[in-house]
Amino acid sequence: MTPRSARRWGRRLLDLVGYAAGLFVAAVSLIAPVSVATGSGLVGVKVGLFLAGVACVGYATVLWWPSRSESDPAATPSRSGRDGRPTGFEALLDRVPPWRWLRVDPHGRFHPGTKLYAAAALLFGASFLLEAVFGVGV
């Protein structure tokens, strides 16, 4: 692997981690106030994180589901599964300071479904840590 391709992969991985972390922060900032307002506390946060993870996995599965043209052997699907334009959330994260300076080729980004799977893993992991390590809701 050349140094240039290693930098490209590093930027792709940072983009993936940034997307997952950004979605995690967005989910917690929405779930925590609702949980506190309803009196559920950390148990509500744990359940909300789990449900947000389920929603992310479901939506990522829909994004990765092949379209009719991709199942046709004569069609040549794109490698990334998208046209290179950032999604709305990616465009929002591209304006946040750490990722503002990170230049990732639009066609070199991971598929949005892959990023959602990574975010779901983070959400499930936080929910698991709240229950298994901190004893929330046990």
Side-chain angles (χ1 to χ4, degrees):
M1 181 178 280
T2 65
R4 185 176 179 177
S5 65
R7 280 193 304 270
R8 190 176 316 134
W9 267 99
R11 287 182 182 144
R12 287 182 76 192
L13 287 175
L14 283 174
D15 183 53
L16 176 78
V17 169
Y19 185 90
L23 196 59
F24 176 78
V25 168
V28 169
S29 65
L30 291 174
I31 292 169
V34 171
S35 178
V36 170
T38 60
S40 301
L42 286 177
V43 174
V45 172
K46 177 190 72 144
V47 171
L49 290 175
F50 178 78
L51 293 176
V54 169
C56 283
V57 166
Y59 187 52
T61 302
V62 169
L63 289 177
W64 271 108
W65 202 267
S67 66
R68 184 171 302 277
S69 65
E70 289 176 346
S71 61
D72 182 13
T76 56
S78 65
R79 188 171 158 230
S80 66
R82 52 193 258 173
D83 59 359
R85 289 180 295 154
T87 62
F89 194 67
E90 285 174 336
L92 176 71
L93 285 178
D94 284 345
R95 287 183 248 142
V96 177
W99 294 278
R100 178 186 303 173
W101 305 299
L102 180 68
R103 299 288 181 218
V104 180
D105 177 28
H107 294 285
R109 293 180 187 256
F110 282 104
H111 189 276
T114 304
K115 292 180 177 185
L116 281 171
Y117 281 131
L122 196 58
L123 291 166
F124 284 140
S127 177
F128 176 76
L129 284 176
L130 282 173
E131 184 170 345
V133 175
F134 299 111
V136 174
V138 177

